[in-house]
């Protein structure tokens, strides 16, 4: 178990945080990181399944005070990046909204290029009623273009009641409230296959990057592919980089790089990439080697760690990994699949946060009603009961989370209070940090392909970042 003084997380609520905000952020970070360490080291039990309906389903039957309009005959469209289990879980929330209002809601997956997909729809005059944006930078871009509708009084009331000030600020732009961050993520978690650890004789989990590499080698020597990497999805690689960079370079440098106040050719970036290459440069530690990783999308990276004849022993990503474990494998979270915090690369271990913000792209009663519902505890509890979901809604019933592991991660999230930052790529213009096949996503895929080319990748990252930040 690590002490609270040896951990921190990114804590960002503005594009340009003041020195005072940064100091406050580090104090709150210790609270979250300490709570997270305690939660994860204490999670050894089995799955505490509350059933498919959870507390949210019960709320709709038993006297919820949430008031929604009758929308009989109306059809709404909702767009988000989710597919597979994540989409199926969110559909349960939409089903309840349909039941209460009489509206019909169609879900449209955006693909990984969310901003491009939505921009095309908006410019073509056919935007969805509500969309989920995975990057705070995209919310700012869309708001500046006038593409977003401010939330109405009903959603604002739910937001004020259920969310802390910091989460509200994340969904605002230039003094107007446009979004509701209904889905959060802790993106600094390593999930591991307990049978693989047992077979290799490993009785503890690594706290440092050096120990992590040693553990990976021990697993590989024992016959298990050590680490499953979803390199076909470039966003997972940005998360790898951000965790290493935050822990190694520290929060001040992290802020500077996130705002492009220092260049990607900075020595701190070289150090982080060189550190990543200690893992990415060893084919024997990666499931399928580098080539296999580049052909593995995120969902497969999870399933190949918890299913098959020779599963990988570890997979890195956020709390949402549980959705894929629950839906696509026979492993039980908390028993077959356990989790430990991302190891410390420098003096302090990182915790990087992410999330999805709901925004209205159309005027009208239906869009605002859905925004109101999404901001409610009712919606949060239905979603939580499905698994693979983490909410910053501080008023929801925590017992509705599907398993004890997620419940403890959620408690740690709420313990952080009002101060938080999103991951670095989510803060960047979409052309650099949020578009498949270009920018940081593509550059880090190229680096995974050839981890020896540190200087070359630095130059490419800087070139791409300079163009994206200049055009916004």
């Amino acid at each position: 178990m690590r002490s609270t003084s040896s951990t921190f997380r990114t804590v960002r609520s503005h594009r340009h945080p003041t020195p005072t905000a940064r100091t406050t952020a580090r104090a709150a970070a210790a609270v979250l990181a300490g709570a997270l360490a305690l939660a994860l080291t204490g999670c050894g039990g089995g799955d505490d399944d509350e059933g498919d309906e959870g507390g949210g389903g019960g709320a709709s039957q038993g006297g919820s005070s949430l008031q929604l309009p009758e929308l009989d005959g109306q059809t709404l469209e909702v767009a988000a990046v989710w597919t597979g289990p994540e989409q199926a879980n969110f559909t349960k929330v939409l089903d309840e909204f349909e039941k209460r209002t009489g509206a019909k809601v169609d879900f449209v997956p955006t693909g990984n290029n969310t901003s491009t997909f939505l921009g095309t729809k908006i410019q073509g005059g056919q935007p969805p009623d509500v969309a989920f944006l995975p990057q705070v930078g995209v919310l700012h871009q869309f708001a500046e273009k006038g593409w977003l509708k401010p939330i109405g009084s009903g959603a604002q009331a739910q937001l004020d009641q259920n969310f802390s000030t910091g989460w509200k600020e994340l969904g605002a732009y230039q003094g107007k409230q446009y979004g509701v961050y209904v889905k959060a993520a802790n993106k600094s978690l390593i999930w591991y296959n307990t049978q693989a650890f047992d077979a290799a004789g490993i009785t503890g989990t690594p706290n440092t990057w050096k120990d992590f590499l040693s553990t990976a080698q021990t697993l590989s020597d024992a016959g298990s592919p050590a680490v499953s990497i979803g390199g076909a999805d470039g966003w997972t690689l940005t998360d790898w980089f951000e965790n290493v960079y935050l822990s190694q370079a520290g929060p001040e440098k992290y802020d500077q790089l996130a705002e492009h106040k220092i260049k990607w050719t900075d020595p701190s970036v070289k150090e982080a990439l060189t550190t990543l290459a200690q893992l990415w440069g060893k084919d024997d530690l990666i499931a399928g080697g580098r080539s296999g990783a580049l052909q593995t999308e995120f969902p497969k990276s999870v399933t190949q760690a918890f299913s098959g004849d020779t599963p990988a022993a570890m997979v890195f990503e956020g709390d949402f990994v549980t959705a894929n474990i629950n839906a696509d494998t026979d492993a039980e979270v908390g028993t077959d699949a356990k989790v430990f915090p991302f190891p410390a690369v420098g003096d302090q271990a990182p915790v990087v946060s992410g999330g999805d913000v709901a925004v209205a792209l159309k005027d009208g009663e239906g869009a605002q009603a859905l925004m109101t519902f999404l901001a409610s505890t009712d919606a949060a509890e239905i979603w939580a009961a499905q698994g693979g979901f983490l909410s910053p809604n501080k008023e929801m019933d925590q017992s509705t989370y599907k398993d004890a592991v997620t419940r403890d991660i959620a408690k740690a999230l709420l313990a952080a209070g009002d101060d938080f930052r999103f991951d670095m790529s989510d803060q960047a213009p979409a052309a650099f940090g949020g578009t498949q096949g270009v920018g940081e996503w593509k550059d880090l895929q190229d680096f995974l392909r050839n981890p020896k080319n540190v200087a070359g990748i630095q130059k490419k990252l800087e070139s791409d970042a300079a163009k994206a930040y200049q055009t916004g």
Side-chain angles (χ1 to χ4, degrees), residues 37-370:
L38 288 169
L40 297 187
T41 54
C43 287
D47 186 272
D48 293 342
D49 196 335
E50 299 288 338
D52 286 341
E53 293 302 322
S60 67
Q61 305 292 330
S64 170
S65 61
L66 182 66
Q67 298 297 314
L68 297 172
E70 293 184 5
L71 301 172
D72 292 328
Q74 292 193 32
T75 299
L76 304 177
E77 188 173 86
V78 177
V81 69
W82 309 309
T83 58
E86 285 190 293
Q87 179 183 337
N89 292 347
F90 177 56
T91 299
K92 296 289 182 66
V93 179
L94 298 181
D95 289 345
E96 182 63 23
F97 178 77
E98 289 180 332
K99 178 180 176 182
R100 296 195 193 188
T101 64
K104 182 178 183 296
V105 185
D106 294 327
F107 179 87
V108 179
T110 64
N112 280 332
N113 297 338
T114 301
S115 63
T116 302
F117 176 90
L118 292 174
T120 301
K121 285 274 196 178
I122 293 166
Q123 291 173 323
Q126 295 182 316
D129 295 88
V130 170
F132 285 82
L133 308 179
Q135 290 102 14
V136 66
V138 174
L139 182 145
H140 293 170
Q141 290 173 342
F142 280 20
E144 191 168 2
K145 292 175 181 291
W147 288 353
L148 305 182
K149 309 300 179 184
I151 67 172
S153 59
Q156 187 68 58
Q158 292 296 315
L159 191 63
D160 291 342
Q161 176 180 319
N162 300 325
F163 294 82
S164 65
T165 300
W167 284 105
K168 290 192 289 185
E169 288 179 351
L170 266 181
Y173 182 72
Q174 293 187 346
K176 289 187 178 180
Q177 192 73 44
Y178 291 101
V180 179
Y181 268 92
V182 296
K183 191 175 189 291
N186 179 308
K187 303 178 85 174
S188 299
L189 303 174
I190 307 290
W191 299 83
Y192 67 101
N193 186 312
T194 56
Q195 292 184 7
F197 269 52
D198 290 344
I202 300 171
T203 57
T205 55
N207 292 324
T208 67
W209 181 256
K210 181 181 179 180
D211 290 342
F212 177 71
L213 294 176
S214 176
T215 297
Q217 189 65 59
T218 299
L219 289 161
S220 179
D221 293 344
S224 292
V227 183
S228 178
I229 298 176
D233 288 323
W235 61 267
T236 67
L237 304 184
T238 70
D239 290 346
W240 273 104
F241 171 81
E242 288 155 10
N243 277 276
V244 169
Y245 188 83
L246 175 61
S247 182
Q248 197 167 56
E252 298 299 331
K253 281 279 191 181
Y254 186 98
D255 286 338
Q256 292 169 9
L257 188 60
E259 297 170 28
H260 202 222
K261 289 185 175 180
I262 58 174
K263 295 183 177 182
W264 284 80
T265 49
D266 189 85
S268 62
V269 177
K270 176 182 178 180
E271 187 177 16
L273 291 174
T274 301
T275 298
L276 265 181
Q278 294 172 356
L279 172 65
W280 290 8
K282 289 192 173 182
D283 271 354
D284 62 316
L285 300 185
I286 301 172
R290 294 191 300 274
S291 176
L294 285 164
Q295 299 176 58
T296 300
E297 295 178 339
F298 163 69
K300 183 182 176 183
S301 74
V302 177
T303 57
Q304 71 181 14
F306 298 104
S307 61
D309 294 334
T310 311
M314 297 182 287
V315 61
F316 155 71
E317 255 312 335
D319 52 274
F320 44 84
V321 161
T322 60
N324 298 87
I325 296 175
N326 290 333
D328 300 327
T329 77
D330 293 328
E332 291 189 11
V333 174
T335 304
D336 307 305
K338 292 187 178 181
V339 63
F340 59 87
F342 197 97
V345 185
D347 292 336
Q348 301 174 315
V351 182
V352 177
S353 296
D356 298 275
V357 59
V359 296
L361 300 177
K362 280 185 180 180
D363 290 314
E365 188 179 32
Q368 289 298 335
L370 183 53

Side-chain angles (χ1 to χ4, degrees), residues 260 263-264 429 432 459-472:
H260 202 222
K263 295 183 177 182
W264 284 80
F432 179 66
K459 291 178 182 178
K460 187 65 167 63
L461 283 163
E462 174 55 28
S463 174
D464 290 341
K467 292 176 185 176
Y469 279 84
Q470 182 176 7
T471 60

Side-chain angles (χ1 to χ4, degrees), residues 375-387:
S376 72
T377 57
D378 293 0
E381 289 165 3
I382 295 169
W383 212 340
Q386 314 312 315

Side-chain angles (χ1 to χ4, degrees), residues 417-463:
D418 281 346
D419 295 293
F420 41 86
R421 292 173 187 160
F422 265 33
D423 78 10
M424 190 183 297
S425 61
D426 286 351
Q427 298 172 42
F432 179 66
T435 304
Q436 188 166 333
V438 299
E440 188 182 1
W441 291 17
K442 173 63 163 58
D443 296 341
L444 289 180
Q445 287 175 322
D446 289 343
F447 182 61
L448 176 58
R449 188 173 288 108
N450 180 16
K452 294 181 179 180
N453 187 26
V454 173
I457 292 301
Q458 279 189 271
K459 291 178 182 178
K460 187 65 167 63
L461 283 163
E462 174 55 28
S463 174

